Amino acid sequence: MTDHSLSGTARSGDPQSADRLDCVVRFHDPRRLPELERCVFSLVGQRYRPVNIVLVLQRFSPEEVAATEAALTPVLQLPGAPTLSIHNWDETGVVDARTYLLNRGLDVAQGRYLAFLDYDDVLFPEAYEMLVGQLRKTGAAIAFASVQVMQVEVHDHFFYMVGSKVPPYKGQDLADLFKSNFCPIHSYVIDRSQLPADLLHFDTGLTIEEDYDLLLRICAGFPSDFSLVGTPVGYYFYKTDGSNTVATQSGLDGEKLALYQEVQARIRARKKSTPVAPKVQAALGVPNPREGLSIHDTLKQSRTGSPGLRKLAELVGAR
């Protein structure tokens, strides 16, 4: 493992870490460096400060690390730019290490607020300002917004924007999230001060839906806020070259279909084994909330049409 910073990174003892937002970005293919540059540029443009970027690479050579550093240095030298540290995950024996990269980022992150952004997506300048503001307003552990799905053709040096695309899932509140994931990994911010440290980890047995598994565990036990759902805070680029990882069954066959079905079985097991806190049950309209009721059983008993679900943190009771 090689770790270093392109700029001075605030540490956990730094007074800034109390308000700092750490954004974990995973990057596995040096051929996609222009997409990473655009991603990081969108983070430099964030109105919220302080922001620290935790960039985790997957088994890059020294030359590839140097090329990544050289590409990002100019934008990070702009006045007031976020800090950024590079961490090259170089363990062997794992082909698809996406969850390992995320966990490495979690190990490094020290700020109060936590977010994720894949290298091929971008955020609007107001994204973190709005989401952190909602966390502070409600006392929720996690706040959600929306991202706009854009279909693009991939060319060597540019993307051609085809137009907007209907997201693979639709939803607006916690009940919808418990049914299926409609929240891309860059559509939310987590307040780590509201959560036990051991909750924040990704299941390394998952290579799709790894973020959904984490969301289920967070939202089952702690207040969540969906007030900004419907307000776009970024773009999710759906690429026509098929390089996106989308957790849907459409068009899959062979090994990919088998993997999808295996993951769905694990997600169903998670819903049946994860208890929902009584206050979260009450916010979902469950009669007689009680300890030990799983996500699966909570969904069966909840009154999903009850008012106020989009302001779940307020119903739960802001701390």
Side-chain angles (χ1 to χ4, degrees), residues 24-293:
V24 177
V25 179
R26 50 186 172 177
F27 186 49
H28 71 286
D29 186 351
R31 295 172 298 179
R32 300 279 189 173
L33 191 53
E35 294 173 64
L36 176 66
E37 292 179 63
R38 184 183 57 195
C39 161
V40 170
F41 184 76
S42 79
L43 293 174
V44 171
Q46 289 301 300
R47 295 175 186 167
Y48 182 82
R49 289 291 187 272
V51 171
N52 177 56
I53 304 167
V54 179
L55 177 60
V56 188
L57 312 177
Q58 181 175 322
R59 289 189 287 261
F60 276 29
S61 68
E63 293 76 19
E64 290 167 341
V65 172
T68 302
E69 181 177 290
L72 299 180
T73 294
V75 71
L76 292 169
Q77 291 178 337
L78 293 173
T83 55
L84 181 144
S85 58
I86 293 179
H87 310 269
N88 190 25
W89 188 90
D90 54 8
E91 297 181 28
T92 59
V94 179
V95 176
D96 190 332
R98 70 188 64 201
T99 51
Y100 291 86
L101 303 186
L102 290 171
N103 281 334
R104 176 57 183 160
L106 289 176
D107 290 341
V108 173
Q110 298 290 336
R112 173 177 175 178
Y113 301 107
L114 177 67
F116 304 94
L117 180 60
D118 284 337
Y119 75 92
D120 51 353
D121 294 319
V122 298
L123 290 169
F124 301 157
E126 65 272 19
Y128 290 154
E129 183 179 65
M130 294 176 66
L131 286 164
V132 171
Q134 199 63 24
L135 289 171
R136 292 173 174 172
K137 176 182 176 182
T138 65
I142 183 169
F144 295 87
S146 296
V147 295
Q148 186 173 355
V149 180
M150 298 299 292
Q151 188 170 10
V152 297
E153 292 180 356
V154 180
H155 298 269
D156 288 342
H157 301 291
F158 65 94
F159 279 178
Y160 175 73
M161 196 82 71
V162 177
S164 61
K165 181 178 175 64
V166 177
Y169 302 111
K170 294 182 179 180
Q172 64 178 16
D173 53 40
L174 180 60
D176 291 332
L177 183 65
F178 277 170
K179 293 171 187 175
S180 62
N181 189 16
F182 68 93
C183 301
I185 200 168
H186 56 307
S187 67
Y188 51 85
V189 170
I190 297 167
D191 185 347
R192 292 158 51 111
S193 72
Q194 303 286 349
L195 299 172
D198 60 359
L199 181 63
L200 290 174
H201 66 87
F202 290 88
D203 184 345
T204 56
L206 298 173
T207 54
I208 55 174
E209 299 270 43
E210 69 279 359
D211 50 330
Y212 185 38
D213 179 80
L214 177 64
L215 292 181
L216 290 175
R217 289 183 277 121
I218 292 175
C219 294
F222 302 90
S224 50
D225 185 273
F226 291 81
S227 300
L228 291 175
V229 169
T231 301
V233 295
Y235 285 136
Y236 173 90
F237 291 112
Y238 189 89
K239 292 175 280 190
T240 57
D241 65 356
S243 60
N244 298 90
T245 302
V246 181
T248 63
Q249 189 169 350
S250 176
L252 299 180
D253 55 21
E255 291 184 4
K256 290 185 177 180
L257 178 59
L259 173 62
Y260 172 83
Q261 293 171 337
E262 177 187 348
V263 168
Q264 292 309 305
R266 294 183 65 161
I267 292 296
R268 287 193 296 270
R270 174 70 73 188
K271 293 179 181 181
K272 290 181 178 180
S273 64
T274 301
V276 178
K279 285 187 176 181
V280 177
Q281 295 176 36
L284 286 167
V286 173
N288 303 316
R290 57 197 181 276
E291 297 286 349
L293 200 65

